[in-house]
Amino acid sequence: MKVEKNQIDFENLPTHIAIIMDGNGRWAQKHNKTRTEGHEAGSKTLENLTKEMDTLGIQYVTVYAFSTENWKRPKAEVDFLMGLLRQYLKRHIRQAKRDNIKIRIIGDRSMLAKDIQKQITVLEEITENKTGLGLQIALNYGGRDEIIRSMQKIGEDLLHKKVMVEEINESLFEKYLDTALIPDPDLLIRTSGEIRLSNFLLWQLAYTELYFCEKYWPDFSMNDLYQAIYHFQQRKRRFGAL
């Protein structure tokens, strides 16, 4: 079923969309291209869609760009992805004055190269006061790793008596997550036909509506986004009610 833009209820948009951008390699294979060309195409799709989602009025988008497991890929591919990341960050630092997108990186930065960490800090500082789309990019991110890191932070605060055991609840725990102060996703989109979470936002996706698309990420378009939003808007969200 094809969904047109005018079928979307713009008064009922999801506040926060999470996206697992899957299928760059398979897209490249399908089109007789290299995996690096697939990642380049996927990066362009991300840039185009974030601009359009900002215009559409989506408040937050969180994308899965590089997982803690992705380090196991061939070194040449990892090196290319890090180079692509450097280009992405550099380009957005230049564009920050004219764009209204606030960019935030989530995940464990300690394994990223020092120059990349510096670029991330610069970009976050430049876009900190932007009022448009809040774009969270998950780099060296894993849901289990995030939960463990959050527990370690809580443990440190317990030792220093900044937190008492009886104060620990869901609300407090969420303040230690990478996504602190950001509402949980209303909608998760995963491309390429895979039907799993792959260690992405395991805490935050507890009540999120899930939408799986057969298209590979480089082929995912605004019309595909409209279709995902349309299906989201047809669902009755009960949050545990009968």
Side-chain angles (χ1 to χ4, degrees):
M1 172 184 170
K2 185 176 179 180
V3 175
E4 302 294 340
K5 186 175 181 178
N6 59 13
Q7 293 177 264
I8 300 300
D9 178 3
F10 289 95
E11 300 298 321
N12 187 32
L13 292 171
T15 299
H16 184 179
I17 298 176
I19 305 176
I20 300 177
M21 307 179 293
D22 197 13
N24 291 342
R26 280 166 285 172
W27 177 89
Q29 185 178 32
K30 177 182 175 181
H31 294 280
N32 295 315
K33 296 179 182 294
T34 63
R35 287 182 65 84
T36 56
E37 288 176 304
H39 291 308
E40 284 180 332
S43 178
K44 290 177 183 176
T45 297
L46 173 60
E47 290 201 44
N48 292 336
L49 278 175
T50 50
K51 289 176 183 176
E52 291 297 328
M53 284 190 279
D54 182 40
T55 302
L56 191 62
I58 303 296
Q59 294 182 40
Y60 300 97
V61 175
T62 301
V63 297
Y64 207 6
F66 192 89
S67 75
T68 49
E69 291 80 18
N70 284 158
W71 296 108
K72 299 175 184 177
R73 293 185 177 187
K75 184 178 183 301
E77 184 176 353
V78 171
D79 288 346
F80 176 82
L81 288 169
M82 291 299 111
L84 199 61
L85 172 59
R86 287 182 174 93
Q87 293 175 24
Y88 182 91
L89 294 169
K90 185 177 181 180
R91 186 161 56 251
H92 280 274
I93 288 171
R94 289 199 309 264
Q95 294 175 186
K97 286 186 178 180
R98 67 173 182 267
D99 290 343
N100 195 31
I101 296 175
K102 179 177 181 176
I103 299 178
R104 178 179 177 186
I105 305 301
I106 64 172
D108 181 2
R109 304 180 188 185
S110 64
M111 287 184 66
L112 300 174
K114 295 297 183 184
D115 66 302
I116 291 178
Q117 292 184 43
K118 184 176 180 180
Q119 282 183 302
I120 288 171
T121 300
V122 170
L123 183 57
E124 288 183 331
E125 288 177 352
I126 290 174
T127 65
E128 184 178 7
N129 296 317
K130 300 291 185 177
T131 58
L133 175 73
L135 172 62
Q136 286 67 236
I137 303 175
L139 292 172
N140 191 33
Y141 175 88
R144 291 179 176 179
D145 178 72
E146 179 189 26
I147 291 171
I148 290 170
R149 287 187 287 105
S150 300
M151 289 297 296
Q152 290 171 338
K153 293 173 190 174
I154 291 174
E156 288 179 8
D157 283 352
L158 283 169
L159 285 173
H160 293 93
K161 300 189 183 301
K162 295 180 180 178
V163 171
M164 304 304 290
V165 172
E166 57 270 20
E167 294 178 318
I168 299 175
N169 55 28
E170 287 188 17
S171 178
L172 182 136
F173 184 75
E174 287 172 351
K175 294 177 182 177
Y176 288 83
L177 293 171
D178 294 348
T179 53
L181 305 179
I182 299 172
D184 290 342
D186 303 294
L187 170 65
L188 168 75
I189 299 169
R190 179 168 188 158
T191 57
S192 87
E194 302 293 346
I195 307 176
R196 59 179 182 273
L197 299 182
S198 295
N199 200 20
F200 184 48
L201 299 177
L202 297 180
W203 176 278
Q204 297 87 338
L205 295 178
Y207 293 101
T208 300
E209 300 295 331
L210 309 181
Y211 179 83
F212 300 100
C213 173
E214 293 291 330
K215 284 189 176 182
Y216 298 134
W217 174 247
D219 287 331
F220 194 80
S221 66
M222 276 303 295
N223 283 334
D224 295 311
L225 178 67
Y226 296 147
Q227 183 156 326
I229 292 173
Y230 177 82
H231 281 275
F232 165 81
Q233 292 177 339
Q234 304 313 301
R235 299 178 186 179
K236 296 185 184 298
R237 308 191 75 202
R238 295 187 176 87
F239 298 101
L242 296 176

